[in-house]
Amino acid sequence: SLAPVADGSIWVISVKMICFGDTQPRTQEEVDWITHDVVEELIGFDAAFGITLGDVVFDDLSLLEPLERTIATIGVPWYNIHGNHDTNTEAMEDRDSDETWERLYGPSYYSFDYGQVHFVAIDNIAWEPGGKYHGELGERQLDFLRNDLALVPTEKLVVLMMHIPLVSQDDRLQVYDILKDRPNTFTVGAHWHRQAHYFVRKKDGWGGVGQLHHLVHATVCGSWWSGAKDENGIPHATMADGAPNGYSIITFDKADYSIRFKAARRPASHQMNIYTPEAIASSDAANAKVIVNVFAGSSRSTVEMRLGETGAWQPMMRTTMRDPFFVQLKKREALLPKELGRTLPKASKTTHIWTAMLPANPAKGLHLIHVRTTDMFGQTYTDYRSIRVE
């Protein structure tokens, strides 16, 4: 949004950014899936720009241009981060691994300002002969980051964007040291094909005030475009943490920011899955567990549930576990013909699941379980699931 000031100039007050994790198509067909799954619903969206956090394609660099053509239909400027699957795989040295990338996009690390925010895109793919790689900036990029931020006012929000999550990068301690005197910093990567919020603390090597927020972002391709295809011929692509594939809208307002996850081709209100038995005996209700996967939840989220319209809200407990729905999806794969979809990865432990037991001895009949969650930005979402009490 824009606001006029007394001298007639225009100040940018808030900025919306569309954020994609790995789009990662292998073929033109998968480029088309991206078009129908996420791009079409974003055409005309009121964002200043968008970014893809690396692994723009899956090793076939000839797909970079057709993918960019479809993303261009959204109608906003688009930035890209260099990922490990965007490299020239025959390169013998790291300096040569991004030659095609630089021909199409220019430098693999850069910075820019939009409104009151300073954005820094880094290339943390350290390429090794034989197709191996690890997460590292190296001294040249560390110097770039130091020199770049030396020109940025300390109080300004800095957004550091990358592919491999910062929390697993080899020289992350040097990055933490560069950022430690900046009170307003947000960092974001992708690569892991699941979603998680990390809050880097003193024991992790963070020397700044409070904690450094790092988001491991969900991916557009979900679990690498795997899973059974739906009625539109697109794989469900559920990630191994049980969250759907999708993207985020990140809103920046001076030094503040907020993140809203959007599941692909689902309503904006679809922020969680609720799991319970279909039916229980009233006498067994206190032993029935309610499991809620809040897709963008973090340790700073609150999650509550209640049975019915007038019951008391009950806090739910954050529980690290595997998503039960994804576990069942994986088991059922053995029953599906191979041509119906690519095999899903194994279920991973999820950091955004909450659990609670139902209240004891509810009345018989059909009840609605209400679940509400408030995230670290104060955004509240509510969802429901029915259960029969017999």
Side-chain angles (χ1 to χ4, degrees), residues 25-88:
R26 293 173 172 85
T27 63
Q28 179 61 52
E29 180 185 37
E30 294 185 6
V31 172
D32 296 336
W33 291 345
I34 294 165
T35 304
H36 303 313
D37 215 25
V38 296
V39 168
E40 288 173 347
E41 67 181 41
L42 281 166
I43 293 171
F45 184 78
D46 180 25
F49 61 93
I51 191 160
T52 302
L53 298 169
D55 282 2
V56 179
V57 295
F58 200 152
D59 295 336
D60 185 349
L61 303 187
S62 70
L63 292 172
L64 285 169
E65 291 184 270
L67 177 59
E68 289 307 310
R69 283 196 292 271
T70 192
I71 288 179
T73 63
I74 295 173
V76 299
W78 204 269
Y79 297 88
N80 291 283
I81 304 289
H82 182 239
N84 54 287
H85 285 289
D86 305 318
T87 61
N88 294 342

Side-chain angles (χ1 to χ4, degrees), residues 12 15-19 47-53 76-82 101 105 107-122 144-145 147-149 151-153 156-162 182 186 188 250 252 254:
V12 178
V15 173
K16 289 181 182 177
M17 177 181 82
I18 303 167
C19 191
F49 61 93
I51 191 160
T52 302
L53 298 169
V76 299
W78 204 269
Y79 297 88
N80 291 283
I81 304 289
H82 182 239
W101 182 271
Y105 299 119
S108 61
Y109 55 95
Y110 52 91
S111 68
F112 61 95
D113 287 276
Y114 205 103
Q116 305 302 302
V117 185
H118 185 68
F119 296 89
V120 184
I122 57 175
F144 162 76
L145 187 59
N147 294 335
D148 179 77
L149 294 183
L151 303 174
V152 179
K156 197 167 191 176
L157 175 61
V158 170
V159 180
L160 190 61
M161 307 174 293
M162 64 210 70
R182 311 198 70 89
F186 165 56
V188 57
I250 306 180
F252 302 97
K254 295 185 179 178

